[in-house]
């Protein structure tokens, strides 16, 4: 694996969408494996996250347009490495989990790898767990991909991700990515990753507003996918991957 030190180009750019995550940033950045470069996308933080990330040596991109998708996509556009990963910046996910994901994509066994979250005690409120299990069930039925979780820790080739031409700029971005990848015939697979209680205050699953926004954005993606796929039609033929 190439190293980030000594001016060598990174092998993987890790996009870290970041809205007020100063409490989690030091640990998240310290946990990045060798060869993985952090791109922290500061989405209008008021707690000094952007400055802290820069001090800690991360590449910092400013994205003033609020929304998970806006931040994630700005990071993808800023990336230059052959592979791009996405990881939440709230301390709930260990970036070390990206190493086996890279091995799967590098060796050609997968085109997109998702981390299926295995929650530790207190990591996920009951309603988020139920909603996520329901979503995974819907996606299994819709695509035939044996997915158990639409996890935010993920990795794919940069050029392939760009070719998906993703448009959602809010909470539907991760779902749009999965659906577009499946439609393009990518091999999508998942591996289990631990899911820890987040550092700092919850913005999505722990708030009514965040949960409603996520449900609305995901529903829009599901409706768009349904309208494209006639009922009962098989998933896209494999082999058309990136
Ligand atoms: N919610 C939210 N998160 C953002 C935004 N922009 C960037 N992020 C970051 O996106 C990542 C995922 O957001 P989280 O708030 O952790 O979403 P979640 O994991 O579904 O739910 P909670 O951890 O309960 O808040 C975090 O690193 C956020 O800091 C935004 O506009 N809204
Ligand atoms: Mg979180």
């Amino acid at each position: 694996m190439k190293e980030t030190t000594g001016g060598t180009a990174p092998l993987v750019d890790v996009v870290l969408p970041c809205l007020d995550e100063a409490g989690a940033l030091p640990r998240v950045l310290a946990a990045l494996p060798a060869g993985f470069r952090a791109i922290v996308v500061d989405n209008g933080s008021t707690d000094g996250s952007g400055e802290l990330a820069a001090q800690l040596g991360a590449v910092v991109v400013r994205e003033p347009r609020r929304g998970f998708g806006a931040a994630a996509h700005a990071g993808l556009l800023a990336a230059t490495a052959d592979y791009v990963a996405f990881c939440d910046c709230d301390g709930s996910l260990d970036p070390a989990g990206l190493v086996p994901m890279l091995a799967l994509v590098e060796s050609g066994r997968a085109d997109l790898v998702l981390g299926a979250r295995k929650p530790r005690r207190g990591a996920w409120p009951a309603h988020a767990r139920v909603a996520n299990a329901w979503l995974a069930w819907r996606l299994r039925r819709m695509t035939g991909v044996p997915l158990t979780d639409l996890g935010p820790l993920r990795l794919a080739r940069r050029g392939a991700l760009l070719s998906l031409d993703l448009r959602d700029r809010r909470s539907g971005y991760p779902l749009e990515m999965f659906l577009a990848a499946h439609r393009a015939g990518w091999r999508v697979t998942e591996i289990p990753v631990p899911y820890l209680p987040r550092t700092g205050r919850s913005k999505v699953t722990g708030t009514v507003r965040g949960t409603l926004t996520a449900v609305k954005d995901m529903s829009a993606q599901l409706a768009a996918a349904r309208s494209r796929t006639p009922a009962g039609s098989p998933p896209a033929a494999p082999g058309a991957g990136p």
Side-chain angles (χ1 to χ4, degrees):
M1 187 181 295
K2 288 180 218 162
E3 299 288 325
T4 45
T5 48
T8 312
L11 183 57
V12 180
D13 276 329
V14 184
V15 175
L16 294 153
C18 177
L19 176 58
D20 293 331
E21 305 288 7
L25 261 170
R27 198 156 44 89
V28 173
L29 294 178
L32 281 185
F36 289 60
R37 176 176 74 157
I39 298 183
V40 174
V41 186
D42 183 7
N43 204 197
S45 298
T46 55
D47 70 346
S49 284
E51 295 72 18
L52 177 61
Q55 276 166 26
L56 294 171
V59 174
V60 178
V61 172
R62 313 262 170 196
E63 172 51 66
R65 215 169 115 191
R66 199 50 78 79
F68 176 85
H73 202 70
L76 172 59
L77 293 178
T80 56
D82 287 350
Y83 301 90
V84 172
F86 297 86
C87 180
D88 284 356
C89 202
D90 60 2
S92 59
L93 295 161
D94 184 354
L98 294 168
V99 174
M101 294 187 182
L102 175 63
L104 284 170
V105 177
E106 248 189 332
S107 63
R109 282 173 287 165
D111 301 307
L112 172 65
V113 186
L114 309 182
R117 291 166 289 182
K118 303 297 170 198
R120 300 290 190 258
R121 204 181 168 79
W124 236 349
H127 70 273
R129 228 180 251 235
V130 171
N132 223 66
W134 176 84
L135 178 62
W137 172 78
R138 286 290 309 273
L139 295 177
R140 284 197 299 276
R141 278 186 41 150
M142 193 182 260
T143 65
V145 178
L147 207 68
T148 62
D149 180 32
L150 187 75
L153 190 71
R154 41 182 70 191
L155 186 144
R157 286 179 196 275
R158 182 172 62 88
L161 284 167
L162 288 169
S163 75
L164 294 178
D165 192 24
L166 301 175
R167 297 302 170 99
D168 191 293
R169 295 296 179 262
R170 299 197 321 185
S171 302
Y173 189 85
L175 177 54
E176 186 187 17
M177 184 187 294
F178 166 73
L179 291 169
H182 172 69
R183 216 168 42 249
W186 294 22
R187 284 150 306 167
V188 183
T189 189
E190 65 176 24
I191 57 173
V193 296
Y195 193 51
L196 311 165
R198 77 165 356 268
T199 301
R201 205 162 40 86
S202 170
K203 291 186 272 290
V204 180
T205 56
T207 70
V208 174
R209 188 164 174 224
T211 302
L212 290 178
T213 303
V215 169
K216 188 172 163 220
D217 293 349
M218 299 271 186
S219 301
Q221 289 299 328
L222 288 174
R226 266 201 314 273
S227 69
R228 272 189 299 264
T229 314
S233 68

